[in-house]
Amino acid sequence: EALEKRKARLGEDHPKTLSSLNYLALLLTAQERVAEAKDLFCEALEKRKARLGEDHPKTLSSLNYLALLLTAQERVAEAKDLFCEALEKRK
């Protein structure tokens, strides 16, 4: 509900809306609703790339969240690639 209110008030791509999207994905992860969480993490990542740029700290944070989710799914090789990408861009 909070996410929908933010979307309506601030817009789908507003940084605060995207933060809410990430928080909801984290909550879904904790509830073991991994497929839904992954979709939201991917949505937040793509929108942050478009709105903030690929090297923005919040974009890289979204990249890390997605990598953590992949790690929890034992998709270690994919997660490693994302972690490395985020690390390289933070340099």
Side-chain angles (χ1 to χ4, degrees):
E1 187 178 324
L3 176 60
E4 293 308 316
K5 286 182 180 180
R6 279 217 165 151
K7 284 181 179 181
R9 184 172 180 169
L10 301 173
E12 298 245 345
D13 296 337
H14 190 279
K16 288 184 179 183
T17 303
L18 299 179
S19 289
S20 293
L21 198 60
N22 261 336
Y23 295 139
L24 179 56
L26 285 169
L27 177 65
L28 291 171
T29 302
Q31 294 174 341
E32 298 182 9
R33 295 165 59 184
V34 179
E36 293 170 86
K38 184 177 183 262
D39 289 345
L40 293 182
F41 281 136
C42 288
E43 182 181 347
L45 175 61
E46 292 309 311
K47 287 182 176 180
R48 280 182 165 171
K49 281 182 181 179
R51 173 83 184 229
L52 304 172
E54 294 208 8
D55 297 336
H56 190 279
K58 290 199 179 273
T59 303
L60 299 178
S61 178
S62 288
L63 195 60
N64 274 330
Y65 284 134
L66 182 56
L68 286 169
L69 181 73
L70 292 173
T71 301
Q73 291 180 307
E74 298 183 13
R75 295 166 61 183
V76 179
E78 292 172 81
K80 180 184 175 196
D81 290 344
L82 295 182
F83 281 131
C84 289
E85 180 183 344
L87 181 62
E88 188 61 34
K89 288 181 178 181
R90 287 183 194 266
K91 290 183 180 180

